[in-house]
Amino acid sequence: SGTGKELIARALHLLGTRKHQPFIALNMAAIPADLVESALFGHEKGAFTGAYQRQSGAFEQAEGGTLFLDEIGDMPLHAQTRLLRVLQEGTYAPIGSARHHSSNVRIITATHRNLQDAVMQGSFREDLFYRLHVVPLVMPPLRARAEDIPYLAEHFLQAAHAQNMPLKHLSTSATLALMQHRWPGNVRELKHLILRLVTSSPRPEIRAEDVHDLLVPQARAKRQELEASKPASDEDNAAAEALRSLEQTIHQALKHGVMQLSPHAKLYDVLMPCFERPLIQLALNESNGSQVKAAKRLGINRNTLRSKLAQLNSEQPS
């Protein structure tokens, strides 16, 4: 959740041949189960109690364009059956009507659930899953694409200014602090944090301490909750101490080296090789030099590992 699935759906719509036609978004999780079919296909006057007038559904509203069904994993089974029929036959009938309408829409669906697990559990139709699972796209969590954070943060700062909020900018250390956060709420969490920073920071420049003031209490509370529920082993204590040592090393590097760079220096490009080189070497050592095994250990594909090795080797002093 919060990775930007609807933004990607809108981008697909705007980049396609249907861009001048409607884009209709419907969140299945936000609609009561007994109203889902009405929201999708519409209803006629008197079709059920409270149906005082005819209401068009999302399929009719999106005709010729794109229908984005968010949180498709929360769609009730009876509505799944009707959706499957529309996808197979290309027609639908509003509730209370015997007249079928032809449908010409592009369907994009999104979910934060594992639909294959839902199929196994019987909460999602297998035939519908395969109908929808044509071109799957995975939106990675923000922590897996930290290099996006400076650009997203700048975008949200400019968006806030466009809404008559003070124009602020991030210091280099503040940007690094944002890149180090795990972002359980993903892009949505980053957006809300930037808005809080714009309204709470007393200076035009947002500093690292401003970021930590908002993030650290939250992180400390989660850490204390975990520590209270699970006694720490000697191995856990050693790992925590090693992590604290690493954090101190980063801060020292910033204090005595990186912070002397120009304000426009690419901090991510400067720091990442310092971490990637020993990390890749460790993975290669564990796998006895096998790049395939090392890439799997690192969680990246082999081509990415080869590219990083070539880049790091080119950066070695001659």
Side-chain angles (χ1 to χ4, degrees):
S1 296
T3 55
K5 295 185 290 294
E6 184 172 342
L7 287 176
I8 295 298
R10 287 184 181 275
L12 291 171
H13 173 74
L14 293 173
L15 290 170
T17 57
R18 299 172 183 258
K19 61 184 177 182
H20 298 300
Q21 301 303 319
F23 176 91
I24 302 297
L26 211 58
N27 189 323
M28 295 293 101
I31 305 173
D34 56 345
L35 295 179
V36 169
E37 291 188 48
S38 175
L40 286 171
F41 310 113
H43 62 258
E44 298 295 334
K45 180 179 178 181
F48 51 83
T49 303
Y52 300 114
Q53 60 184 3
R54 181 185 182 276
Q55 178 66 49
S56 63
F59 270 91
E60 181 178 345
Q61 297 165 18
E63 180 62 26
T66 299
L67 175 57
F68 173 57
L69 302 178
D70 198 6
E71 301 301 353
I72 190 72
D74 292 312
M75 177 181 281
L77 281 169
H78 63 85
Q80 293 178 32
T81 302
R82 289 205 62 185
L83 176 61
L84 177 64
R85 188 175 301 120
V86 177
L87 296 177
Q88 290 175 335
E89 301 175 3
T91 63
Y92 66 93
I95 298 175
S97 173
R99 179 171 172 266
H100 281 70
H101 301 260
S102 296
S103 177
N104 174 25
V105 298
R106 174 200 282 121
I107 300 292
I108 302 176
T109 63
T111 181
H112 72 281
R113 300 178 182 271
N114 186 320
L115 290 187
Q116 290 175 306
D117 287 347
V119 168
M120 295 293 292
Q121 296 163 5
S123 62
F124 200 85
R125 291 186 60 121
E126 184 177 19
D127 43 7
L128 177 58
F129 171 74
Y130 287 115
R131 273 282 181 177
L132 297 173
H133 197 257
V134 180
V135 183
L137 301 175
V138 176
M139 290 295 294
L142 187 56
R143 62 180 176 272
R145 47 191 174 108
E147 64 274 14
D148 290 350
I149 291 175
Y151 302 101
L152 289 167
E154 178 61 28
H155 170 74
F156 294 140
L157 287 171
Q158 294 298 328
H161 182 55
Q163 297 175 7
N164 298 319
M165 296 185 190
L167 179 60
K168 302 288 180 72
H169 66 274
L170 292 166
S171 68
T172 305
S173 59
T175 300
L176 181 63
L178 292 175
M179 294 175 70
Q180 292 173 331
H181 186 53
R182 295 289 293 171
W183 300 110
N186 294 299
V187 181
R188 184 183 295 119
E189 181 187 1
L190 174 63
K191 178 181 179 180
H192 291 163
L193 180 75
I194 293 297
L195 291 176
R196 290 172 63 195
L197 287 168
V198 168
T199 56
S200 64
S201 177
R203 299 170 296 273
E205 181 183 66
I206 298 172
R207 302 176 182 177
E209 53 263 35
D210 300 322
V211 175
H212 289 306
D213 284 346
L214 296 182
L215 289 180
V216 171
Q218 177 183 0
R220 183 184 297 118
K222 290 182 179 179
R223 185 170 61 253
Q224 290 174 344
E225 181 180 349
L226 289 173
E227 290 175 350
S229 61
K230 178 183 177 181
S233 64
D234 292 340
E235 185 177 349
D236 291 334
N237 290 330
E241 183 60 34
L243 183 58
R244 283 193 293 270
S245 177
L246 179 59
E247 291 176 347
Q248 292 173 359
T249 301
I250 294 172
H251 288 305
Q252 288 298 317
L254 290 173
K255 181 178 180 180
H256 298 295
V258 177
M259 290 299 291
Q260 297 174 7
L261 297 175
S262 69
H264 304 292
K266 296 181 179 179
L267 186 61
Y268 183 84
D269 293 340
V270 172
L271 285 179
M272 280 311 296
C274 301
F275 298 100
E276 284 185 323
R277 186 174 287 109
L279 190 61
I280 289 175
Q281 188 59 56
L282 175 64
L284 287 170
N285 291 342
E286 287 186 0
S287 58
N288 295 320
S290 169
Q291 292 187 9
V292 174
K293 293 180 180 178
K296 184 177 181 179
R297 181 76 172 91
L298 291 166
I300 60 179
N301 62 52
R302 187 180 181 184
N303 290 334
T304 300
L305 176 59
R306 284 181 173 177
S307 175
K308 289 185 178 294
L309 283 170
Q311 181 182 356
L312 293 173
N313 288 336
S314 68
E315 294 171 355
Q316 290 278 16
S318 57

